[in-house]
Structures are given as structure tokens and as C-alpha cells.
């Protein structure tokens, strides 16, 4: 069998090796064999010499990935002690015997806790009071002991509290097997429901379970089934099938526990079906038929449904309501009208209060409104840049709201807020162990960079207090910038390992997210996608211009769609960065979006465009990182992937690295690390995941010549 890599003569060295002779490496990088593949569309021909890498089980492909892993190990061997130190340092900040704040649901207090020395959680509950005996539902450490990867999710207790449905994934392809455990006897029934999302919901009869199945190839969640306890899952009834390949489906129960709800969504459009949870033998009713561009979500309260929607050109969404028997949009009435400067993100409904989660000027707001009376106000927050959001609030008839608060400098707190009196109690503040952390030792700020088109781009920064702006500071700039996903300024214990070594950490709130409202997202997608990339570059140039750092000390990082961002910026502005980390990067945009057998493809046409249309094809080709690799110098780069990744297939970063090795004209380091046991989210254990972070941080510190 032919080997698909050859040994290249010469050497590749770290940039920092020019300053530090002891870091010099004379190691040989694997070079992938080229097999020409012509890809033709719209009369345009692309040559992909590494197309062959998409055969996951092919031994030659595995040999190449193994060779890259071996090369990565050799090139980073001198940082192993630093990686171990970073790992122990980060692990040492974590309270190993930690537990969540208990929450009460249907007569039981539910708790998630970790035990010292173990990677996985223990899920337990206590009846009525926290003084009651603990009932362990799942000890995931025991369940995971024979697996390299293990994920348990979708815990769903029956209304009578006697059973729990749960999902497990042991491969990291996000294909879960649902099983049912009897909480009175401890028996796990022999009813394995394969190839699901892991989530499920019980009807009120305590024997009917609704769940979502995935397409085994594309992994699209598209079929809702009904399982009757004690029957063969092969006989389960299909109650809904989503036939539009651009939509995904899911099923859940309303907070009022009165309705089973089936949702279907694409990037731009949603549709719901509802069923009385007490009558699982009846058929679901469409709430409002889908209309392209109409987005809405629903919540039940008394005689009405409340609807968060963009109806009537409400770009930043508004709140409406409609009677239970008249759910079509012509019956919807405004409750909170659309406001140009406020993004309405979500609502929480209680017996006496409506809680509205909003965002204005990039900052989270939590608004409290009495159902009866005229009392209305915002919970006050006094930081320049912070993150606040409502957390687990399953109780309906309560005056207590739980929300989570943190900032770049402030550890996460779970706060219980009395909506009647305004009193608040911090139920738990994240402990940072190790004895070295003091939030007063760090400074955070929000600054505004100006993009080439004149748009102001917000940037959140954190660094050690007393830092001087002298262009010698190492700075790690992070961003995501897709799907309207907002990266809020959040606290991180692992990040302290960079800050304490002199790094500045910057989150660039670029277009493509929703930090500044829905238009911020719309201006960073489809034919506006390049704004995401140029915003990131403009922020980098601004940080250099303002003397926070220089190109010799500037680093960039992003993952998944943020990895696409990394691929685009290193093609467009490679000289701006000394090093780049691209985690599970989506870099082969056209080929992936033309292959509707790959997970997520068809559902993403409204985000990236459909390259079967020439205009979208041409635009994608103009920025797709893999298609735009050219003969030029590239920064030092660490690229990571997972062999079983269900969202960005491993061959995208593998092909990208192979092509970069062929084209790049520099002697900078290029590393690829493939995790053979994990997928898109990386390692499953809380400590194993820290080892991956330690590897990334050691890469950055080594480039800076920081050895301790």
C-alpha cells in the first residue's frame, strides 16, 4: 500500500527560534501526495489535489493524519513541560468537588456535582427539601470508564417523577442513544432508541415519550417519533417528518407543562406544531404555517400564547400574544413593540411576572414586568462590559428569578433576585482556587475600532493592571462572527494563565454576530460575509495603532466558523499576525456547501448562500480559505480537528494544512493535531479538555519565548 506522504528535505522552525537558538528544530514535515481532482461548477474548474482525504476509514488517510500528529509531537516536544505546568495550573484553579446551585422542579431539588479526581458529573436529586437523602440518578464517571469519549445529555424526568429518559454518545458524532431508567428500582429498560438528538419529552400520561431522530448520513434532525414505554422502539409511531432539507426539527414541552411543541427551523424561518400534553393520542396542530423570513418562538401563559417574532419587519424582534384557539398570525397583537435600538432576545414567563431579556449597545438587559399592575423596571448592572442572562427557572409560581452574571474580571455568579422586593442573593460565586487570583489585579475595558467603511467595531479587553502600551505586549485576539452568535465578555479561569504571563486578551465583536442587534448579523452573512473578515483585520490594525501590541506580538484565534475567519484573515493579511490558532476550522466552503450529503450543509444556505447559484458560488470562491491559499508567507499556525467531528469534517483542516505546506513561502511553523477520539467539541472530560487548552497556550507562549 502506498504511503500518501513523503519526507520533505530541509527544516521548519518556529519564528521565535531565530531569537532563541535552543528552540531550533530540524524536523521534517509530512507532505501529502497530490491526486488531481477536477471540480467543475458553472463552467468554473477548481483543482483539488487533496480531495482524497475525505475517506475517514481509509488506512492511507489515517496514516497521513498519524504522520501529522507525530510531527506535531516532535515539534512541540520542548514545550511538554510547559504544557504540563499549564494543565496543572488551570486544573488547580478548579474546585474539583464542586456542585451546581440546586433548582426545584415538580417537588424535587436537582443537583449536578463533581467529585475530586473525576472528570464527569454526578446527577442527583432530593425530595422536597435539601436536607432529604440524596438520590443519585447517574454517576457518569462509572458510565464512562470504558470509553475514550462519553457524553450524557437530555435528562428528562417523567411528570410522576418515577422515570428519566437520557441520551448517550460514545463516539462524538452527536448521534445519541436514548434509554429510560426507572428511578424507583434503578433498572434501565431494554429500549434503546438509536440515532437521536438525545433530547426527549414526556406527555402527561407518564408513558408516552416524544423524541427526534437524525438522518444517519447528514445528521439532520428531521423526524419526530412517539415511543410508548414498554414497547419495541422499532414500532414507534412517526408523528412528524420535516421534508424540507434546509430545516431541522425538535420537540419539547412548554414551561406550563400543558403543551407538547414540535419546532421546525431554518436560518430565516420557523414553524411550530402544538398538542395538549394530556392527549398524546391526538394530532398536532400547526401554530402558524411557515413563511420564508418569518421567525417566531412561542410560550404559553394562561389563555394566551406569547410570541417573540420579527413579524411586520421587526428586525430586532418584538413580543406579541394570541388566544389559544386563534394561533395564526392575523390574530397576533403587540405586547412590546419593535424598538430600533433594542434587540429582544428571549422571555421568561412566571405566574406574576414577565421577564424580558434584551440587548442594547451590546450590553445585556433584564427587564421585569408585572402582569397585573404597572410596575416595570430593569435589573441594574454597573460594569462597563459584562454578561448577564436568565438561568434555570423551571418554577412557574414564584417571585424569585435566577440569573447569571460575570464579566471579564468577575467570576460567574448565580444570583437569586426577588422580583417583588428587588432584593438579591448571590447563591454561588465561582471559586478560583490556587491562592493567586484577585479580580482587582486585572483591568477590563471596551474600546471601539473603526472599520474601513466607517463602522465602529466594539472590542472587549482584559489585561493585568499596570500594563503599559508599548507595542511589546503579546495580545490574543478572538472572534467568531457567524450565525448571529454573540460572544459576550465572559470570565475564564484558564485565560488567567495567559494574562498572568503578560498577555492582553481581546474579543472582537465583529459583524456576523448580534452584539449590536440583528442588523449586525445581517451585515455579516451571505453577500456581506467579507465584513466579518475585514472587521477582524481592522480591529487588529487598530490595536497596533493604539500601541496595545505590534504584529510581532499579535495572535489570532477562532474555532469552527471562527476557524473560517482565521483562514480568511491569514490569506488577506498574513503579516499582521505572529501566530494563529484555528480550531476545527470550516475552510473548504464551496466544496462542503455543494455536498448535500455532509451534515448541516442544506440548512446553512441562508447563512452562506447556495453555491448551486452562480452568484453565491463566485462570492464564496472569493473568500473560501482553501481556495485562496497562495504562494506567500503565512504566520505560525496551529490547526486542530477531531476525526469524528460532525459539524466540520476532519478533512477540511487536513486538506488545508496539506495545501498550505505546498504553497507557503516562509519557514514558520505549521502544525496539525487530530484528536482521534473526539469530535467538534473536543475531549469530553473536564480535565482532558484542559490539556487541549494547555497545548494551544503553550504554542502561543513558545512563540513569545515564554518558557515558564
Amino acid at each position: 500500500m502506498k504511503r500518501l506522504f513523503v519526507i520533505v528535505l530541509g527544516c521548519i522552525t518556529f519564528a521565535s527560534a531565530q531569537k532563541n537558538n535552543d528552540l531550533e528544530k530540524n524536523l521534517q514535515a509530512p507532505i501529502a501526495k497530490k491526486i488531481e481532482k477536477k471540480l467543475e461548477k458553472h463552467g468554473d474548474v477548481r483543482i483539488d489535489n487533496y480531495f482524497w482525504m475525505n475517506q475517514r476509514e481509509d488506512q492511507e488517510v489515517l496514516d497521513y493524519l498519524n504522520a501529522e500528529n507525530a510531527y506535531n509531537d516532535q515539534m512541540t516536544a520542548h514545550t511538554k513541560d510547559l504544557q504540563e505546568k499549564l494543565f496543572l495550573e488551570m486544573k488547580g484553579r478548579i474546585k474539583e468537588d464542586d456542585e451546581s446551585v440546586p433548582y426545584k422542579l415538580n417537588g424535587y431539588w436537582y443537583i449536578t456535582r463533581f467529585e475530586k479526581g473525576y472528570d464527569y458529573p454526578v446527577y442527583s436529586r432530593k425530595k422536597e427539601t435539601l436536607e432529604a437523602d440524596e438520590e443519585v440518578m447517574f454517576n457518569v464517571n462509572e458510565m464512562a470508564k470504558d470509553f475514550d469519549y462519553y457524553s450524557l445529555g437530555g435528562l428528562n424526568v417523567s411528570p410522576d417523577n418515577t422515570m428519566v429518559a437520557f441520551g448517550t454518545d460514545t463516539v462524538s458524532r452527536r448521534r445519541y442513544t436514548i434509554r429510560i431508567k426507572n428511578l424507583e428500582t434503578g433498572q434501565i429498560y431494554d429500549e434503546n432508541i438509536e440515532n437521536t438528538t438525545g433530547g426527549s419529552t414526556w406527555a402527561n400520561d407518564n408513558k408516552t415519550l416524544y423524541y427526534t431522530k437524525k438522518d444517519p448520513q447528514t445528521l439532520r434532525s428531521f423526524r419526530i417519533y412517539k415511543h410508548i414505554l414498554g414497547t419495541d422502539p422499532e414500532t414507534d409511531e412517526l408523528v412528524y417528518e420535516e421534508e424540507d432539507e434546509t430545516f431541522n426539527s425538535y420537540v419539547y414541552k412548554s414551561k406550563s407543562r400543558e403543551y407538547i411543541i414540535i419546532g421546525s427551523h431554518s436560518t430565516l424561518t420557523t414553524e411550530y406544531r402544538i398538542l395538549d400534553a394530556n392527549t398524546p393520542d391526538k394530532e398536532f396542530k400547526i401554530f402558524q404555517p411557515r413563511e420564508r423570513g418569518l421567525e417566531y418562538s412561542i410560550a404559553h401563559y394562561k389563555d394566551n400564547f406569547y410570541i417573540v417574532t420579527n413579524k411586520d419587519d421587526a428586525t430586532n424582534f418584538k413580543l406579541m400574544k394570541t388566544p389559544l384557539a386563534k394561533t395564526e398570525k392575523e390574530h397576533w397583537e403587540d405586547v412590546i413593540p419593535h424598538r430600533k435600538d433594542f434587540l429582544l432576545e428571549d422571555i421568561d414567563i412566571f405566574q406574576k411576572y414577565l421577564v424580558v431579556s434584551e440587548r442594547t449597545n451590546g450590553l445585556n438587559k433584564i427587564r421585569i414586568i408585572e402582569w397585573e399592575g404597572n410596575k416595570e423596571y430593569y435589573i441594574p448592572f454597573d460594569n462597563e462590559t459584562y454578561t448577564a442572562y436568565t438561568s434555570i427557572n423551571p418554577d412557574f409560581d414564584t417571585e424569585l428569578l435566577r440569573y447569571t452574571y460575570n464579566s471579564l474580571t468577575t467570576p460567574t455568579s448565580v444570583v437569586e433576585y426577588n422580583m417583588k422586593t428587588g432584593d438579591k442573593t448571590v447563591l454561588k460565586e465561582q471559586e478560583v482556587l490556587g491562592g493567586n487570583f484577585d479580580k482587582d489585579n486585572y483591568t477590563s475595558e471596551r474600546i471601539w475600532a473603526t472599520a474601513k467603511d466607517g463602522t465602529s467595531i466594539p472590542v472587549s479587553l482584559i489585561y493585568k493592571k499596570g500594563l503599559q502600551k508599548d507595542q511589546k505586549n503579546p495580545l490574543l485576539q478572538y472572534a467568531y462572527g457567524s450565525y448571529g452568535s454573540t460572544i459576550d465578555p465572559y470570565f475564564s479561569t484558564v485565560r488567567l494563565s495567559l494574562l498572568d504571563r503578560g498577555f492582553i486578551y481581546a474579543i472582537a465583536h465583529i459583524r456576523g454576530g448580534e452584539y449590536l442587534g440583528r442588523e449586525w448579523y445581517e451585515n455579516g452573512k451571505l453577500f456581506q460575509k467579507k465584513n466579518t473578515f475585514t472587521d477582524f483585520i481592522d480591529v487588529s490594525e487598530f490595536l497596533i495603532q493604539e500601541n496595545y501590541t505590534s504584529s510581532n506580538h499579535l495572535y489570532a484565534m477562532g474555532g469552527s466558523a471562527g476557524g473560517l475567519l482565521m483562514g480568511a484573515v491569514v490569506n488577506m493579511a498574513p503579516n499582521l499576525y505572529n501566530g494563529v490558532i484555528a480550531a476545527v476550522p470550516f475552510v473548504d466552503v464551496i466544496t462542503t456547501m455543494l455536498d448535500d450529503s455532509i451534515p448541516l450543509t442544506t440548512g446553512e444556505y441562508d447563512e452562506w448562500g447556495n453555491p448551486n447559484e452562480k452568484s453565491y458560488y463566485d462570492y464564496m470562491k472569493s473568500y473560501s480559505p482553501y481556495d485562496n491559499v497562495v504562494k506567500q508567507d503565512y504566520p505560525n499556525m496551529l490547526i486542530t480537528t477531531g476525526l469524528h467531528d460532525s459539524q466540520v469534517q476532519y478533512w477540511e483542516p487536513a486538506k488545508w494544512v496539506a495545501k498550505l505546506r505546498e504553497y507557503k513561502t516562509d519557514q514558520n511553523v505549521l502544525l496539525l493535531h487530530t484528536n482521534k477520539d473526539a469530535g467538534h467539541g473536543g475531549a469530553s472530560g473536564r480535565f482532558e479538555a484542559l490539556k487541549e487548552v494547555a497545548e494551544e497556550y503553550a504554542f502561543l507562549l513558545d512563540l513569545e519565548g515564554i518558557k515558564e
Side-chain angles (χ1 to χ4, degrees):
M1 185 177 290
K2 290 184 179 179
R3 305 280 285 183
L4 292 188
F5 57 92
V6 296
I7 299 301
V8 123
L9 297 176
C11 66
I12 296 179
T13 61
F14 282 93
S16 60
Q18 297 173 6
K19 308 170 190 174
N20 303 284
N21 292 332
D22 60 330
L23 289 181
E24 282 192 346
K25 301 290 179 182
N26 291 294
L27 301 174
Q28 298 166 327
I31 299 298
K33 186 173 76 173
K34 297 193 291 186
I35 303 176
E36 183 176 293
K37 174 77 172 180
K38 291 184 178 179
L39 302 172
E40 184 172 358
K41 192 72 177 178
H42 306 299
D44 179 62
V45 177
R46 294 179 299 130
I47 303 298
D48 187 350
N49 291 319
Y50 306 106
F51 188 86
W52 55 266
M53 289 189 184
N54 67 358
Q55 301 301 311
R56 191 187 315 274
E57 306 301 328
D58 191 295
Q59 187 57 48
E60 293 180 323
V61 174
L62 295 175
D63 286 344
Y64 175 70
L65 297 177
N66 288 335
E68 284 286 2
N69 277 356
Y71 177 69
N72 174 63
D73 288 341
Q74 289 177 308
M75 288 291 286
T76 60
H78 65 287
T79 71
K80 294 303 180 186
D81 288 345
L82 177 58
Q83 289 185 42
E84 179 66 13
K85 181 175 182 178
L86 288 166
F87 167 72
L88 293 174
E89 191 177 284
M90 291 185 285
K91 182 181 177 184
R93 298 191 191 102
I94 296 174
K95 190 178 189 318
E96 291 195 45
D97 54 345
D98 201 7
E99 70 176 42
S100 65
V101 177
Y103 68 88
K104 195 173 186 182
L105 175 62
N106 198 22
Y108 279 84
W109 289 93
Y110 287 89
I111 304 163
T112 303
R113 60 179 172 82
F114 286 90
E115 297 177 343
K116 190 169 185 177
Y118 289 95
D119 265 324
Y120 295 95
V122 175
Y123 295 98
S124 66
R125 66 179 186 172
K126 296 182 179 184
K127 190 172 183 178
E128 294 299 344
T129 72
L130 290 171
E131 287 69 43
D133 292 338
E134 181 187 50
E135 177 185 334
V136 174
M137 297 190 296
F138 299 102
N139 185 336
V140 186
N141 299 290
E142 288 295 318
M143 302 168 74
K145 62 184 179 182
D146 295 327
F147 299 94
D148 293 321
Y149 178 92
Y150 196 89
S151 174
L152 181 143
L155 272 63
N156 175 34
V157 177
S158 61
D160 65 2
N161 292 313
T162 63
M163 291 165 292
V164 59
F166 63 100
T168 57
D169 172 18
T170 59
V171 179
S172 192
R173 286 286 284 173
R174 300 188 183 184
R175 292 171 58 179
Y176 286 81
T177 298
I178 292 176
R179 304 186 71 184
I180 300 168
K181 181 177 181 178
N182 187 312
L183 291 172
E184 294 181 323
T185 66
Q187 177 187 3
I188 296 179
Y189 298 128
D190 296 327
E191 300 170 28
N192 291 356
I193 306 173
E194 307 284 352
N195 193 36
T196 77
T197 61
S200 61
T201 190
W202 293 95
N204 289 345
D205 63 357
N206 298 295
K207 67 177 184 178
T208 304
L209 187 72
Y210 293 91
Y211 63 90
T212 310
K213 275 210 168 189
K214 292 187 169 187
D215 182 289
Q217 183 174 11
T218 67
L219 304 186
R220 182 173 71 96
S221 52
F222 74 121
R223 286 177 176 161
I224 310 298
Y225 283 87
K226 179 170 68 174
H227 175 72
I228 306 299
L229 189 65
T231 66
D232 184 349
E234 293 295 323
T235 66
D236 288 354
E237 178 186 347
L238 176 66
V239 297
Y240 176 70
E241 180 170 358
E242 177 52 68
E243 296 181 351
D244 189 329
E245 293 184 350
T246 66
F247 280 74
N248 288 280
S249 292
Y250 47 93
V251 61
Y252 65 100
K253 185 182 281 188
S254 63
K255 184 176 177 179
S256 67
R257 305 176 201 163
E258 294 186 29
Y259 287 91
I260 305 292
I261 302 171
I262 293 175
S264 291
H265 75 91
S266 69
T267 304
L268 295 176
T269 308
T270 49
E271 180 182 69
Y272 290 92
R273 286 166 168 78
I274 58 175
L275 175 68
D276 188 322
N278 295 303
T279 59
D281 292 330
K282 293 189 176 181
E283 294 186 358
F284 283 81
K285 169 187 176 294
I286 293 180
F287 188 91
Q288 158 60 37
R290 69 187 62 178
E291 295 180 7
R292 180 168 173 79
L294 176 63
E295 298 177 67
Y296 69 95
S297 60
I298 60 177
H300 170 238
Y301 175 64
K302 291 187 176 179
D303 297 329
N304 293 286
F305 284 102
Y306 285 78
I307 307 144
V308 176
T309 180
N310 66 347
K311 182 179 178 290
D312 305 322
D313 298 318
T315 305
N316 277 333
F317 294 83
K318 63 179 177 176
L319 183 64
M320 307 184 78
K321 71 175 182 179
T322 194
L324 300 183
K326 298 179 179 180
T327 60
E328 294 78 13
K329 67 174 186 176
E330 55 264 28
H331 303 293
W332 299 0
E333 300 175 0
D334 279 5
V335 177
I336 299 177
H338 177 255
R339 294 157 299 162
K340 185 177 185 300
D341 296 328
F342 282 80
L343 174 66
L344 199 166
E345 294 187 311
D346 202 0
I347 61 170
D348 287 273
I349 288 180
F350 296 86
Q351 179 71 30
K352 296 180 181 178
Y353 298 92
L354 171 66
V355 178
V356 184
S357 296
E358 303 173 343
R359 184 185 297 272
T360 182
N361 197 34
L363 299 179
N364 303 123
K365 302 289 184 182
I366 300 177
R367 183 180 180 186
I368 312 296
I369 302 172
E370 278 188 342
W371 288 116
E372 298 178 4
N374 55 10
K375 189 175 182 181
E376 177 180 331
Y377 61 93
Y378 287 93
I379 296 177
F381 302 114
D382 55 3
N383 208 312
E384 180 183 12
T385 178
Y386 62 88
T387 300
Y389 52 90
T390 61
S391 53
I392 300 174
N393 288 285
D395 274 358
F396 182 64
D397 189 8
T398 179
E399 295 173 340
L400 301 176
L401 168 73
R402 284 192 184 175
Y403 68 86
T404 299
Y405 176 88
N406 68 75
S407 71
L408 288 169
T409 59
T410 307
T412 301
S413 295
V414 177
V415 180
E416 190 167 75
Y417 183 83
N418 190 307
M419 294 180 280
K420 180 178 181 180
T421 66
D423 295 333
K424 67 178 183 179
T425 303
V426 177
L427 299 178
K428 179 181 180 180
E429 182 172 291
Q430 177 184 6
E431 292 186 57
V432 183
L433 303 184
N436 296 320
F437 174 72
D438 181 345
K439 64 183 179 183
D440 292 331
N441 290 337
Y442 304 89
T443 297
S444 68
E445 60 177 320
R446 186 169 64 161
I447 59 176
W448 298 78
T450 303
K452 293 290 193 300
D453 64 1
T455 303
S456 293
I457 313 297
V459 187
S460 296
L461 297 168
I462 180 173
Y463 46 84
K464 281 290 286 286
K465 192 168 290 185
L467 178 137
Q468 301 297 313
K469 296 182 185 179
D470 59 8
Q471 293 199 331
K472 296 178 182 179
N473 302 308
L475 188 151
L476 177 58
Q477 181 180 329
Y478 175 82
Y480 185 71
S482 291
Y483 303 107
S485 179
T486 298
I487 306 300
D488 282 308
Y490 62 97
F491 182 79
S492 166
T493 61
V494 297
R495 188 191 298 141
L496 298 174
S497 291
L498 288 182
L499 301 179
D500 290 346
R501 289 171 171 84
F503 265 76
I504 301 171
Y505 186 86
I507 301 173
H509 304 291
I510 54 182
R511 282 173 282 189
E514 281 188 345
Y515 187 79
L516 292 181
R518 185 70 173 191
E519 287 188 6
W520 202 245
Y521 168 43
E522 298 293 342
N523 290 330
K525 62 186 285 195
L526 298 175
F527 289 118
Q528 304 296 318
K529 188 64 214 171
K530 288 184 184 178
N531 284 337
T532 303
F533 316 138
T534 55
D535 281 359
F536 190 90
I537 292 169
D538 291 340
V539 167
S540 298
E541 291 177 341
F542 178 80
L543 292 169
I544 292 172
Q545 174 188 322
E546 295 297 309
N547 293 326
Y548 283 97
T549 190
S550 63
S551 58
N552 290 331
H553 301 284
L554 178 58
Y555 302 90
M557 183 175 181
S560 193
L564 162 65
L565 170 65
M566 296 299 100
V569 300
V570 296
N571 283 334
M572 298 167 66
N575 296 326
L576 268 181
Y577 308 96
N578 188 37
V580 171
I581 298 174
V584 292
F586 171 44
V587 287
D588 191 11
V589 183
I590 298 177
T591 307
T592 292
M593 293 303 295
L594 282 171
D595 186 351
D596 59 14
S597 71
I598 294 176
L600 304 181
T601 294
T602 55
E604 308 230 326
Y605 289 155
D606 288 331
E607 177 73 24
W608 310 103
N610 183 349
N612 291 295
E613 300 177 24
K614 188 175 186 305
S615 57
Y616 283 118
Y617 176 94
D618 291 341
Y619 189 73
M620 285 181 183
K621 187 178 178 183
S622 71
Y623 70 75
S624 174
Y626 183 65
D627 292 290
N628 286 279
V629 173
V630 295
K631 290 187 180 299
Q632 66 178 6
D633 287 358
Y634 282 89
N636 299 286
M637 298 177 67
L638 169 63
I639 298 163
T640 64
T641 187
L643 183 62
H644 302 291
D645 196 327
S646 61
Q647 290 183 261
V648 177
Q649 307 302 312
Y650 73 89
W651 59 78
E652 291 198 42
K655 287 167 48 175
W656 186 37
V657 168
K659 191 170 183 180
L660 283 168
R661 290 209 191 285
E662 178 186 357
Y663 278 78
K664 73 191 196 78
T665 55
D666 57 83
Q667 293 297 304
N668 291 331
V669 68
L670 174 61
L671 302 176
L672 172 66
H673 182 196
T674 302
N675 187 326
K676 296 296 188 61
D677 301 318
H680 199 67
S684 56
R686 58 174 175 159
F687 299 136
E688 286 301 310
L690 291 179
K691 292 179 181 178
E692 297 178 342
V693 179
E695 178 187 10
E696 294 167 350
Y697 282 10
F699 173 77
L700 299 174
L701 294 169
D702 188 49
L703 291 173
E704 277 295 307
I706 299 173
K707 301 178 183 180
E708 295 292 332

